[in-house]
C-alpha cells in the first residue's frame, strides 16, 4: 500500500480489492451497538477541509473515531489560512505536531500532491478542485459490488457536469481498474477538453446523447448502473447551458428516463455522490426510487474510509477488525 492516497491511479486492482474487502468487515462493525475498535489507538488524523462538505468530512471523522484514532477537524475559516498563511506553512505546522494523517479537501487541483511533498505524515485526498476524489470512487465501487457482484464487464454510465467533477475522474480510473465498461455522457459544453485522448487510452466511451446510451444502444450495450453528477454551479463562471430546464430535458434523470431504464432492467442502480440538485440533474422520483442506492453510498463511505485509514496507518502486524473481534470496552466506547 502506498503512503498517500492522492489519485485513484495510486491503487492497482489488488489494492482496490484489498480495501473493499477490509471495508466489508468494517461495514459489519457499523451494525453493532458498540462500534468502536482499538485498531488506530494512539494515531492522530487531521481533517483539513478548505471547501464545504457534509458527507466526506463527517464520514472521515466517524471512521477515525470508530477506530479509536484522535480526529481533529480544521477548516479554512477558523484556521490561520484566513489570516493569509500559505498552504505550505499551514501543512508544515500541522505536520510538526507529529500527526499521522492529513485528510485534505482543497479547491485547487493538485493541492494534495503538493502537500504530500512538504510533510512526513500520510496525505489523503478528500477532493482537490476538479481533479480527483479517490475515496468517493472506492465507496462507489463498494456500493456497486455489493449489488452487482464482480464489476468485470458491467456497464456503468456516468452523466452530468464532467468538466467540474473530480468524482467522475476518480470513478473512471477505479471502475476501469476493476474491469467495468464505462460510458460518460455530458453536453458538449461540460465535456472536458482532452477527453478524446484519455478515453481512447483508457478504453471508455463518451457521448453527448443520453437517451440512446440509457436505451442500451451505445457500444457498451445494456446499462447496469447510472451515476448522476451534480451540476456544480459554484465552479461555473459562464453559461454552460441555456436554462436549467433545458439541462434537465437533455441530461436529467427524469421520471420518464427512469421508467424506461427500469422497463429494460429493474435491477438497474441509480447513484449520486451528493449533494443532489433535485429537479435539475435528478428527479425526486429517481432519487427516492427502489433503484436508488444514494444512501447506501453514504453508509459505504464510512466503511471505505475506515478501510483506507487502516491500510495507510495501521502497522503491518495490526489485524483488521473483524465482526467477531471484541470492541473496546463499553465504558471506553461511550
Ligand atoms: C462531491 C464532491 O465534493 O466532489 N461530493 C461528495 O464528496 N460527496 C460531488 C459534488 O460536490 O457534487
Amino acid at each position: 500500500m502506498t503512503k498517500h492516497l492522492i489519485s485513484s491511479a495510486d491503487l492497482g486492482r489488488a489494492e482496490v480489492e484489498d480495501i473493499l474487502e477490509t471495508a466489508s468487515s468494517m461495514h459489519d462493525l457499523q451494525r453493532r451497538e458498540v462500534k468502536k475498535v482499538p485498531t488506530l489507538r494512539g494515531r492522530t488524523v487531521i481533517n483539513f477541509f478548505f471547501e464545504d462538505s457534509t458527507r466526506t468530512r463527517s464520514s472521515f471523522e466517524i471512521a477515525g473515531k470508530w477506530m479509536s484514532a484522535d480526529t481533529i477537524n480544521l477548516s479554512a475559516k477558523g484556521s490561520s489560512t484566513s489570516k493569509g498563511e500559505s498552504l505550505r506553512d499551514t501543512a508544515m505546522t500541522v505536520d510538526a505536531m507529529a500527526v499521522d494523517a492529513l485528510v485534505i479537501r482543497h479547491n485547487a487541483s493538485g493541492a494534495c500532491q503538493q502537500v504530500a511533498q512538504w510533510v512526513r505524515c500520510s496525505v489523503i485526498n478528500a477532493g482537490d478542485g476538479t481533479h480527483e476524489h479517490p475515496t468517493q470512487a472506492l465507496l462507489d465501487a463498494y456500493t456497486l459490488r455489493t449489488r452487482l457482484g464482480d464489476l468485470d464487464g458491467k456497464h456503468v454510465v456516468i452523466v452530468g457536469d464532467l468538466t467540474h467533477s473530480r468524482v467522475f475522474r476518480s470513478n473512471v480510473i477505479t471502475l476501469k481498474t476493476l474491469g467495468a465498461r464505462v460510458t460518460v455522457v455530458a453536453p458538449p459544453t461540460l465535456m472536458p477538453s482532452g477527453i478524446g485522448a484519455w478515453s481512447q487510452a483508457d478504453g471508455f466511451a463518451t457521448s453527448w446523447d443520453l437517451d440512446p446510451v440509457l436505451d442500451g444502444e451505445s457500444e457498451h450495450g445494456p446499462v447496469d448502473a447510472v451515476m448522476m453528477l451534480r451540476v456544480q454551479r459554484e465552479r461555473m463562471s459562464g453559461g454552460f447551458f441555456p436554462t436549467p430546464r433545458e439541462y434537465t430535458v437533455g441530461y436529467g434523470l427524469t421520471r420518464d428516463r427512469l421508467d424506461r431504464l427500469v422497463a429494460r432492467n429493474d435491477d438497474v442502480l441509480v447513484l449520486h455522490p451528493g449533494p443532489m440538485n433535485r429537479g435539475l440533474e435528478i428527479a425526486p422520483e429517481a432519487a427516492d426510487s427502489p433503484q436508488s442506492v444514494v444512501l447506501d453510498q453514504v453508509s459505504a463511505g464510512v466503511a471505505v474510509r475506515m478501510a483506507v485509514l487502516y491500510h495507510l496507518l495501521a502497522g503491518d502486524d495490526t489485524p483488521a477488525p473483524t465482526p467477531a473481534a471484541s470492541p473496546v470496552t463499553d465504558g471506553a466506547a461511550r
Side-chain angles (χ1 to χ4, degrees):
M1 190 73 195
T2 55
K3 178 177 177 190
H4 308 294
L5 180 55
I6 310 290
S7 160
S8 294
D10 296 342
L11 304 172
R13 185 167 186 152
E15 286 165 319
V16 171
E17 280 174 353
D18 246 22
I19 291 173
L20 298 185
E21 201 174 303
T22 308
S24 165
S25 340
M26 304 297 186
H27 219 171
D28 290 333
L29 269 177
Q30 263 171 259
R31 296 183 196 108
R32 295 209 303 222
E33 193 190 340
V34 177
K35 299 178 182 69
K36 215 158 173 133
V37 289
T39 318
L40 293 183
R41 192 141 58 191
R43 312 285 156 90
T44 306
V45 179
I46 306 245
N47 293 321
F48 205 162
F49 278 62
F50 294 82
E51 258 190 17
D52 293 345
S53 169
T54 302
R55 285 151 266 264
T56 308
R57 181 158 74 176
S58 50
S59 61
F60 264 114
E61 185 177 358
I62 292 171
K65 290 205 153 104
W66 284 356
M67 290 204 293
S68 303
D70 293 304
T71 58
I72 288 150
N73 291 320
L74 287 176
S75 55
K77 194 169 177 302
S79 73
S80 292
T81 304
S82 65
K83 299 182 187 169
E85 188 173 59
S86 71
L87 177 61
R88 185 167 186 270
D89 284 336
T90 306
M92 288 175 69
T93 299
V94 172
D95 190 47
M97 295 176 201
V99 303
D100 298 285
L102 204 43
V103 178
I104 302 179
R105 169 167 288 193
H106 199 281
N107 57 2
S109 304
C112 299
Q113 178 69 49
Q114 273 289 354
V115 170
Q117 285 161 19
W118 295 324
V119 298
R120 287 161 307 159
C121 65
S122 288
V123 173
I124 302 174
N125 182 358
D128 62 328
T130 59
H131 177 226
E132 281 217 45
H133 193 354
T135 58
Q136 178 71 39
L138 287 168
L139 75 88
D140 291 335
Y142 181 93
T143 307
L144 289 164
R145 288 228 310 197
T146 304
R147 297 295 189 101
L148 301 175
D150 195 338
L151 295 187
D152 249 319
K154 296 289 184 329
H155 184 195
V156 181
V157 178
I158 304 177
V159 188
D161 178 359
L162 303 182
T163 291
H164 302 105
S165 179
R166 51 201 180 202
V167 174
F168 136 71
R169 284 176 181 75
S170 286
N171 254 291
V172 167
I173 297 170
T174 298
L175 288 169
K176 291 303 300 172
T177 300
L178 292 174
R181 290 175 296 157
V182 180
T183 305
V184 301
V185 183
T189 49
L190 290 171
M191 190 64 89
S193 60
I195 196 164
W198 179 27
S199 62
Q200 271 181 12
D202 280 15
F204 64 95
T206 64
S207 173
W208 295 339
D209 202 356
L210 179 58
D211 288 315
V213 174
L214 296 187
D215 288 342
E217 288 161 13
S218 71
E219 65 177 276
H220 290 321
V223 175
D224 295 294
V226 185
M227 181 183 297
M228 302 307 297
L229 298 174
R230 184 171 67 87
V231 175
Q232 301 200 22
R233 282 184 272 210
E234 78 280 15
R235 296 191 207 276
M236 293 181 185
S237 47
F240 285 81
F241 46 86
T243 62
R245 172 88 199 123
E246 277 178 68
Y247 182 86
T248 306
V249 169
Y251 297 94
L253 187 57
T254 57
R255 186 189 193 139
D256 250 30
R257 288 196 172 107
L258 178 73
D259 288 347
R260 275 165 52 196
L261 268 172
V262 173
R264 278 185 181 75
N265 169 15
D266 62 4
D267 291 330
V268 71
L269 300 179
V270 173
L271 294 92
H272 192 304
M276 294 186 278
N277 291 310
R278 283 173 180 259
L280 179 57
E281 72 267 359
I282 188 164
E285 293 86 348
D288 302 327
S289 65
Q291 286 72 28
S292 166
V293 288
V294 169
L295 293 177
D296 297 17
Q297 291 172 268
V298 176
S299 161
V302 177
V304 160
R305 286 166 180 135
M306 289 173 85
V308 166
L309 290 174
Y310 167 74
H311 280 278
L312 292 183
L313 298 188
D316 289 341
D317 48 355
T318 313
T322 61
S326 54
V328 294
T329 60
D330 281 33
R334 289 205 171 116

